[in-house]
């Protein structure tokens, strides 16, 4: 018997309404990120053959802004913040930024408020310039302390 109409036929289960339904997408994103961090935490990036080599590093010998990101995530998962920062400091800032943005997303979504992240051209150019400076400095002789 159909629960909603009371007529014989297929039974339907009512869908959850309200906050639980709105939180499905943030929960799915968190599950995907947690799964990725769990995988990187369990498969050591220091052992060759588990992950692909950075093509820029392989063909040019230049470290890109993402080089060391997997080692950073591995150290971060294991609670070694010093090693994570040494492997790739911008990546650690990105992990923490994701945590803050995700928390704001969940709170605003649970309250039924829209979430908007308006990054203007100035913000994007500033972020790009900072990553470019990080990349250049880490590849210069005096920037060796930034190498993964």
């Amino acid at each position: 018997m159909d629960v909603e109409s009371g007529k014989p036929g297929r039974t339907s289960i009512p869908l959850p309404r309200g906050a639980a339904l709105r939180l499905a997408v943030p929960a799915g994103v968190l599950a995907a990120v947690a799964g990725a961090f769990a995988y990187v935490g369990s498969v050591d990036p220091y052992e060759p053959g588990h992950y692909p080599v950075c093509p820029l590093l392989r063909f040019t010998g230049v470290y890109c802004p993402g080089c060391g990101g997997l080692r950073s995530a591995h150290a971060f998962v294991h609670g070694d913040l010093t090693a994570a920062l040494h492997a790739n400091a911008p990546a650690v800032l990105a992990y923490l930024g994701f945590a803050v943005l995700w928390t704001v997303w969940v709170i605003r979504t649970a309250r039924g408020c829209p979430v908007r992240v308006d990054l203007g051209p100035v913000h994007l150019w500033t972020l790009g310039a900072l990553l470019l400076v990080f990349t250049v400095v880490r590849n210069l002789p005096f920037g060796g302390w930034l190498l993964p």
Side-chain angles (χ1 to χ4, degrees):
M1 180 174 295
D2 188 4
V3 176
E4 292 177 6
S5 66
K7 297 178 183 176
R10 299 177 91 183
T11 58
S12 63
I13 300 170
L15 293 174
R17 307 241 183 242
L21 185 59
R22 288 191 304 263
L23 292 174
V25 173
V29 169
L30 180 64
V33 170
F37 268 91
Y39 179 78
V40 172
S42 64
V43 179
D44 190 1
Y46 289 100
E47 294 181 21
H50 293 291
Y51 299 104
V53 177
C54 173
L56 184 67
L57 180 63
R58 183 177 195 171
F59 295 121
T60 66
V62 174
Y63 290 96
C64 77
C67 282
L70 288 172
R71 287 177 285 241
S72 176
H74 182 79
F76 191 81
V77 166
H78 288 278
D80 190 355
L81 190 57
T82 305
L85 285 167
H86 177 69
N88 193 322
V92 174
L93 293 176
Y95 310 149
L96 299 175
F98 170 79
V100 169
L101 287 175
W102 185 86
T103 303
V104 169
W105 183 23
V106 167
I107 290 170
R108 291 189 58 85
T109 301
R111 292 180 180 170
C113 300
V115 179
R116 296 195 66 182
V117 178
D118 291 329
L119 293 176
V122 172
H123 298 104
L124 296 174
W125 279 103
T126 303
L127 180 63
L130 289 172
L131 286 175
L132 180 63
V133 168
F134 171 74
T135 304
V136 169
V137 169
R138 83 186 313 198
N139 285 289
L140 292 175
F142 64 85
W145 56 279
L146 290 173
L147 294 177

